[in-house]
Amino acid sequence: MLKIQALLGHTVVLSDVQVIDSQAVQALFETEDFRAFVRGCPSFLRCTTAAPAGSGPFALVTTGLHRALEPGWLSSSFDSAEPLVRLSEAVLERGEANPGPLFARGTALGARYEEGGMIRRRLEAVAWTLHHFSREAGVPLGTSAVTRPCSYHDVLEEVAELPGLPGHDYDPVERTLAFVDEHVEQSHRHRRAALFSQLDATDPPHRTAIWNTATQAWNAAVQRTLGTDGASPRSLPKAADIGLYLGRPTDALFEPAGPGATTPAEHGMAPGSLAAVAELGWQDIAKIHQDEVVARRRDTFQAALRAGDAAAADDALPALLRAVRRKLPACEERPGRLAWAAAETGLGLAGAGLALATGETLGLVGPAIAFGLAAERLLQGRRNRSHIVNTLMTAGGRGTWARRSET
């Protein structure tokens, strides 16, 4: 899924804590293949935090480390906060995040975490992430213009008060709020990790619905704080579709495709080609990304998005996908298709709250993962091209949704 986003020219926007405490980001930065890709394509990742305006790169990207040092902070990617607390102390003391010096023999981190061990590998990945954002040239950085960050609890309360909320979404929202109000102290209701610990301790009957609904609300809160539109590629099981009821859609942009719609479009990729994208290494993605024809098609597509020209984007998207398809290695057709949901789960991206935008230089913030989903629907012949592009233009901030489209 992320590889398709790179080929489409979109930018993944990470918040301060996601930079240090996302399993998906850690898995990516563990590999030199991905680190080399983002060095060569620095606009693919952007870091936006609540650091004061005018902060230098190191201060901007390490705001999450200061949050990790707050009493009672809980990690989402480690069993305890201790590894990230120790890394935070070491990075802030040294004033830089180069993994080599941080984990050298004789250092506190090098002595405590065995070389090659899982915790050390993931901590080194965090250090590589911080090092990339603070030291690599051309990496887009920014500060949030939001003075009061929005929390998942704020979003839940807002949605619960909306008139006419359908019962299938009202019930999980109310159930989640009731659980939070009963089990989570008021001072901790902005922290999703505190909710998770209570769910773990009590194991309520509707645990999945409560957690996933809170996650959908957290996704919306992250995007509001970062000032971006569009994130989670689909609804989470048993959860309320929170994003459909906010000023700008943030979740559940597309319904699951019907089982009968499986005919590939003439201009699209067959299932084997979609699978081939997933199997490519990041350096292979870089080669396709830098191909002259693909780059030209991508610039045309992104320029149409920037201009809000739905007709031009309608024409440019399949042309871009055709150019990408021609660069894929030959592959045998296989039954089924590469489901975005499967790629999402494999990377640990479900509910990760990753915000995305169009290419950094283009200035239009749009739902990039939704474009990936739209591409798949388009490639499989499941949606009318104009419907997809017009829908995404609306979701990109040029309108709002009050309900699902019936088209």
Side-chain angles (χ1 to χ4, degrees):
M1 182 176 61
L2 287 174
K3 290 169 182 174
I4 284 287
Q5 302 314 315
L7 294 175
L8 292 178
H10 297 307
T11 298
V12 178
V13 188
L14 301 178
S15 68
D16 51 0
V17 169
Q18 288 167 332
V19 167
I20 66 169
D21 199 30
S22 165
Q23 290 187 12
V25 176
Q26 291 167 13
L28 291 169
F29 272 91
E30 270 192 50
T31 67
E32 172 57 27
D33 186 43
F34 180 77
R35 296 198 297 269
F37 170 78
V38 290
R39 285 196 298 269
C41 303
S43 64
F44 180 57
L45 293 181
R46 174 182 175 181
C47 177
T48 298
T49 74
S55 297
F58 181 79
L60 192 149
V61 304
T62 56
T63 55
L65 299 183
H66 292 283
R67 290 179 61 182
L69 295 176
E70 294 176 359
W73 185 80
L74 298 176
S75 172
S76 298
S77 60
F78 291 88
D79 292 337
S80 73
E82 185 262 351
L84 280 176
V85 168
R86 291 184 178 275
L87 178 68
S88 299
E89 292 172 340
V91 170
L92 293 173
E93 180 181 354
R94 294 184 64 90
E96 60 99 16
N98 190 327
L102 279 173
F103 291 89
R105 184 175 301 177
T107 62
L109 292 176
R112 185 170 186 85
Y113 299 108
E114 178 183 1
E115 186 173 359
M118 182 191 70
I119 292 180
R120 175 156 169 177
R121 291 200 314 271
R122 289 167 60 190
L123 286 177
E124 288 176 334
V126 174
W128 276 119
T129 308
L130 295 168
H131 184 73
H132 169 77
F133 281 112
S134 61
R135 292 298 180 92
E136 294 294 338
V139 176
L141 302 172
T143 57
S144 172
V146 177
T147 56
R148 180 182 179 273
C150 180
S151 75
Y152 81 91
H153 193 262
D154 296 333
V155 171
L156 288 173
E157 288 187 321
E158 177 183 340
V159 173
E161 294 174 359
L162 294 175
L165 192 67
H168 63 84
D169 280 337
Y170 179 81
D171 290 343
V173 169
E174 280 297 294
R175 189 178 294 121
T176 303
L177 278 173
F179 182 88
V180 172
D181 292 344
E182 180 179 355
H183 295 279
V184 181
E185 295 181 12
Q186 187 168 1
S187 60
H188 290 275
R189 288 176 187 169
H190 64 290
R191 301 174 59 232
R192 193 172 52 130
L195 168 61
F196 183 80
S197 65
Q198 288 300 313
L199 288 171
D200 201 35
T202 61
D203 196 21
H206 300 286
R207 173 177 178 148
T208 299
I210 292 172
W211 176 247
N212 285 348
T213 297
T215 297
Q216 298 280 77
W218 182 77
N219 290 339
V222 168
Q223 293 152 62
R224 283 184 168 184
T225 301
L226 297 182
T228 60
D229 299 323
S232 296
R234 64 186 178 93
S235 302
L236 297 177
K238 302 180 181 180
D241 290 337
I242 298 292
L244 294 180
Y245 306 105
L246 302 177
R248 292 183 178 179
T250 53
D251 284 297
L253 294 176
F254 291 91
E255 290 297 304
T262 57
T263 304
E266 292 181 0
H267 58 268
M269 296 181 188
S273 296
L274 288 170
V277 173
E279 293 167 2
L280 292 175
W282 280 100
Q283 288 307 294
D284 298 319
I285 296 295
K287 291 177 182 177
I288 298 176
H289 187 277
Q290 295 162 4
D291 176 80
E292 182 179 350
V293 175
V294 172
R296 186 168 62 250
R297 301 290 190 191
R298 184 173 59 245
D299 289 346
T300 301
F301 174 58
Q302 291 284 348
L305 298 183
R306 178 185 60 187
D309 188 338
D314 181 24
D315 292 333
L317 178 57
L320 169 58
L321 295 173
R322 284 197 301 269
V324 169
R325 183 188 59 189
R326 294 188 183 105
K327 296 299 176 181
L328 296 177
C331 59
E332 295 181 2
E333 291 303 316
R334 63 202 75 183
R337 63 185 178 86
L338 178 67
W340 292 104
E344 166 198 358
T345 303
L347 279 173
L349 286 173
L354 298 178
L356 291 102
T358 54
E360 177 65 18
T361 60
L362 301 180
L364 170 66
V365 174
I369 285 184
F371 274 104
L373 285 167
E376 186 195 17
R377 305 283 193 276
L378 180 61
L379 297 175
Q380 298 295 329
R382 292 191 174 117
R383 297 276 183 160
N384 173 270
R385 284 191 299 156
S386 296
H387 167 70
I388 291 171
V389 173
N390 286 325
T391 297
L392 293 174
M393 287 297 179
T394 300
R398 303 182 185 281
T400 59
W401 283 2
R403 59 182 176 84
R404 292 185 184 87
S405 171
E406 300 298 329
T407 306

